Amino acid sequence: MKTKIISAFTLLLVASATSNSAWAINHKYRAQLERSGCTELNAGVTCDIHKTRAQNAAHKPTEQQQLQALINRVEGMPLDIAYSRLLADGWKQSEDPSLFIKPGASASLRVTREENIITKVAIQPNDGE
């Protein structure tokens, strides 16, 4: 009985050690993120993990490039995930549920959806608001 308990405990310990490591990002990738100043969300989109933090800061994308990168990330996504990403990026849904605004941004985003999928996101210039 004692050996069965020890075997079960050992199996549980090994299983938990291997399953947790699958959730972590690769150490090399983490080092690249730290060195470059990128995050997992902007790596490869508006930030290059192969450059230094200073190089990435010097090549800051324009607002238009940032908007286009955001649009590329949310088009074709399920509604709830796309809306979560927009909200996490600082966008707020206006009274019109298809329009997203961001304080300080020079444009708004008009979202077109079919059923539960974002089919198109269009940049709509603000009227001097």
Side-chain angles (χ1 to χ4, degrees), residues 99-118:
L99 185 65
F100 282 82
I101 56 173
K102 184 175 186 177
S106 64
S108 303
L109 298 178
R110 173 81 52 192
V111 175
T112 306
R113 62 184 186 208
E114 283 184 25
E115 296 183 19
N116 194 29
I117 303 292
I118 299 291

Side-chain angles (χ1 to χ4, degrees), residues 27-87:
H27 292 290
K28 181 180 175 187
Y29 183 61
R30 181 187 309 276
Q32 286 177 314
L33 288 174
E34 289 173 4
R35 179 181 165 272
S36 66
C38 299
T39 65
E40 287 183 79
L41 291 177
N42 69 4
V45 180
T46 58
C47 191
D48 186 349
I49 64 170
H50 301 290
K51 293 182 179 178
T52 64
R53 185 180 302 266
Q55 289 171 322
N56 279 318
H59 183 276
K60 189 167 174 95
T62 65
E63 183 181 9
Q64 188 71 22
Q65 290 171 324
Q66 291 175 347
L67 286 175
Q68 193 57 53
L70 178 63
I71 289 169
N72 292 341
R73 284 197 313 263
V74 298
E75 279 185 343
M77 287 190 135
L79 205 58
D80 56 342
I81 296 171
Y83 278 18
S84 295
R85 288 206 176 171
L86 288 168
L87 294 172

Side-chain angles (χ1 to χ4, degrees), residues 92-99 101:
K92 298 185 186 329
Q93 202 168 10
S94 70
E95 292 176 8
D96 176 353
S98 66
L99 185 65
I101 56 173

